[in-house]
Structures are given as structure tokens and as C-alpha cells.
């Protein structure tokens, strides 16, 4: 019962974690403009893994996708790859975990096979969570470096190598800080790691204990190769010497039993 509960809880947490990293990957607010001491308040810019957006004070928002791959930094492409790999591993792990649930009967599937599938799904969830944490942390490090060396007084350098994500150039280069997508990605990846650990722990409870011994009498079944031999011993021959004789010397057919 405990193994089944642990498996179900791990599966639900893993589903929530996969949904978190999927949402974080699709969000645009990975890096948001720092509004502290910002002299320009009419324009607010933010960017994600796939496009950058500019929102005006009137409420109009314009987004521009990254049409090129070669012009983007290698670190941004690595973050994309890590998030995609995490999503793929999490999706495959969810598919395996569905068939490995102990509360669901899938034909004549044995507990040993379900335990193996649960362990496989747990390992995939762990790897997906690690990929998500690594990708989000790498992007956060990129933001920290850009924030440290970018000021409003001088041009500094843009977060994506002077790609003008916010649409601002010259002396008003915006500084970027952590966006909501980073926290969604961190939380989702952490939940995914916890779910993977719970799935791995549930695998141990699902495996039958082979060392368990039962004390009792051992019964040995009769062998099917038992050969029954016929009795070939010689039988004693009866002697007619005990037949009674008559007075005239002839033998009679009368027999007497002597006790």
C-alpha cells in the first residue's frame, strides 16, 4: 500500500513538474527590463527563448521572433536544447509511468516488470529535472552578467551580444533582471526531481522479497518414473506325500490339515 501511494504521488508530482517546464519554455518573460531608476517609462521590454517583446504605455505589445539561429549566442542555444531535452524525457517518463502504475491492471503484467518500468520512469524524471534546472540556471547566469556590466549611462553590451532585443540603442540600453519564467522553470524542475525520487523509492517496495523463507515440512512428490516390477519369485511346489494311504496301500484323495 505504501509503495502504491508513493508511486502515485511521484507520478502526479512529475506531471506537475513537466507542465511547469513546458510552461516556462513557452513563456516570453525570461528576462524583463529593470524598472528601477529607469528614465524611460513609456516602453517596457522583455525577452524569452524564442522572441523579444516591447510593450508601450498605451498597452500595445509588439513581439519579434528570433528569425536566425546562427546570430544568437551559443549559451542561449544550449538553454533551448536543455529545455527541449527535459520536456522530451519528461513526456516519455510520463508515458512509461502510466503503464507502470500498480493500481492499474494491464493484462497479465507482473510486479517485477512494473517495478522496472517505475524505476525507468523515475530516472527519466530525474534527468528531465536536472536538464530543466541546468537550463534555467544558465540563463539566469547570463542575465546576471548582463546586468552587472550594463548601465543606462553608457552603451555597455547587450545581453545577447548587441542584438538590440529591447529595441533600444545608444546610451539608453536597458538592463534586464529575472523574469517570471525563470521561477516557473526552477519550481517545475525541482518538483520533477522530487517526483523522480519518489518513483525510484516506490520501485523498491514493488519488488517481491526473494529472501523470505517459510518454516515448515517439506513434502516430496512421488516420482513419475517409478517402475513397478512383477513378482518373479518362485512359488513352493505342493507335495502329495501328506496324502493319507488306505489299508491296502493305495493312496486316497483325502487330505488332512495338520495344525
Amino acid at each position: 500500500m505504501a509503495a502504491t501511494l508513493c508511486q502515485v504521488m511521484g507520478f502526479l508530482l512529475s506531471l506537475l513538474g513537466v507542465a511547469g517546464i513546458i510552461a516556462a519554455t513557452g513563456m516570453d518573460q525570461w528576462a524583463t527590463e529593470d524598472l528601477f531608476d529607469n528614465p524611460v517609462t513609456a516602453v517596457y521590454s522583455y525577452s524569452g527563448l524564442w522572441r523579444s517583446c516591447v510593450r508601450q504605455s498605451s498597452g500595445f505589445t509588439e513581439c519579434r521572433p528570433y528569425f536566425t539561429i546562427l546570430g544568437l549566442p551559443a549559451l542561449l542555444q544550449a538553454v533551448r536544447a536543455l529545455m527541449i531535452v527535459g520536456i522530451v524525457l519528461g513526456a516519455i517518463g510520463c508515458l512509461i509511468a502510466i503503464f507502470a502504475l500498480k493500481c492499474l491492471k494491464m493484462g497479465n503484467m507482473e510486479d517485477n516488470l512494473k517495478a522496472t518500468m517505475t524505476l525507468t520512469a523515475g530516472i527519466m524524471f530525474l534527468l528531465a529535472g536536472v536538464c530543466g534546472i541546468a537550463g534555467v540556471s544558465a540563463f539566469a547566469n547570463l542575465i546576471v552578467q548582463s546586468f552587472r556590466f550594463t548601465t543606462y549611462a553608457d552603451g555597455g553590451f547587450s545581453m545577447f551580444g548587441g542584438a538590440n532585443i529591447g529595441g533600444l540603442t545608444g546610451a539608453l540600453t536597458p538592463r534586464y533582471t529575472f523574469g517570471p519564467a525563470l521561477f516557473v522553470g526552477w519550481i517545475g524542475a525541482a518538483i520533477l526531481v522530487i517526483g523522480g525520487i519518489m518513483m525510484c523509492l516506490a520501485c523498491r517496495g514493488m519488488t517481491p522479497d526473494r529472501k523470505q523463507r517459510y518454516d515448515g515440512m517439506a513434502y516430496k512428490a512421488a516420482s513419475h518414473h517409478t517402475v513397478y516390477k512383477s513378482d518373479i519369485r518362485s512359488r513352493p511346489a505342493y507335495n502329495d506325500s501328506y496324502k493319507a494311504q488306505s489299508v491296502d496301500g493305495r493312496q486316497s484323495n483325502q487330505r488332512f490339515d495338520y495344525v
Side-chain angles (χ1 to χ4, degrees):
M1 184 64 183
T4 304
L5 181 60
C6 184
Q7 184 189 33
V8 173
M9 290 298 298
F11 175 66
L12 294 178
L13 289 176
S14 300
L15 279 179
L16 185 61
V18 172
I21 62 174
I22 291 175
T25 305
M27 292 176 65
D28 294 328
Q29 296 182 351
W30 280 66
T32 58
E33 184 179 353
D34 185 21
L35 299 179
F36 182 75
D37 291 337
N38 188 356
V40 179
T41 58
V43 178
Y44 174 72
S45 60
Y46 53 92
S47 60
L49 297 180
W50 313 103
R51 60 181 182 174
S52 61
C53 300
V54 176
R55 186 177 63 191
Q56 299 178 2
S57 59
S58 60
F60 177 76
T61 302
E62 181 181 1
C63 295
R64 181 180 181 183
Y66 304 145
F67 296 104
T68 180
I69 298 178
L70 300 178
L72 297 177
L75 185 58
L76 179 61
Q77 298 181 13
V79 172
R80 285 181 174 181
L82 286 173
M83 299 304 293
I84 292 175
V85 169
I87 292 174
V88 172
L89 289 176
I92 296 176
C94 290
L95 183 62
I96 296 176
I98 291 175
F99 294 98
L101 289 177
K102 195 174 181 180
C103 57
L104 298 179
K105 299 298 182 180
M106 297 292 179
N108 296 326
M109 188 177 296
E110 299 180 356
D111 291 339
N112 292 331
L113 181 58
K114 284 195 172 185
T116 305
M117 295 174 65
T118 302
L119 180 61
T120 304
I123 294 175
M124 287 189 173
F125 289 147
L126 284 174
L127 294 177
V130 170
C131 289
I133 292 176
V136 176
S137 299
F139 196 92
N141 184 37
L142 184 63
I143 294 177
V144 170
Q145 293 179 0
S146 175
F147 186 87
R148 184 179 301 174
F149 296 102
T150 303
T151 60
Y152 290 105
D154 52 6
F157 65 93
S158 176
M159 186 178 64
F160 292 97
N164 270 334
I165 292 183
L168 299 176
T169 58
L172 295 178
T173 302
R175 292 184 301 184
Y176 290 90
T177 184
F178 294 165
L182 294 180
F183 301 100
V184 174
W186 270 321
I187 295 174
I191 294 176
L192 194 56
V193 169
I194 296 174
I197 293 175
M198 294 184 67
M199 293 287 287
C200 293
L201 293 178
C203 171
R204 299 187 59 183
M206 296 174 60
T207 305
D209 189 6
R210 298 180 179 179
K211 297 182 180 180
Q212 186 176 2
R213 298 180 61 184
Y214 298 93
D215 297 332
M217 299 179 62
Y219 295 92
K220 184 177 181 181
S223 176
H224 296 286
H225 301 285
T226 304
V227 179
Y228 297 94
K229 297 181 179 180
S230 58
D231 191 4
I232 58 176
R233 293 176 297 177
S234 59
R235 296 182 180 180
Y238 293 99
N239 191 0
D240 295 337
S241 60
Y242 58 87
K243 294 182 179 181
Q245 295 182 357
S246 60
V247 179
D248 55 1
R250 293 180 299 178
Q251 291 184 353
S252 173
N253 293 328
Q254 295 182 352
R255 298 181 179 180
F256 300 93
D257 295 332
Y258 295 94
V259 181

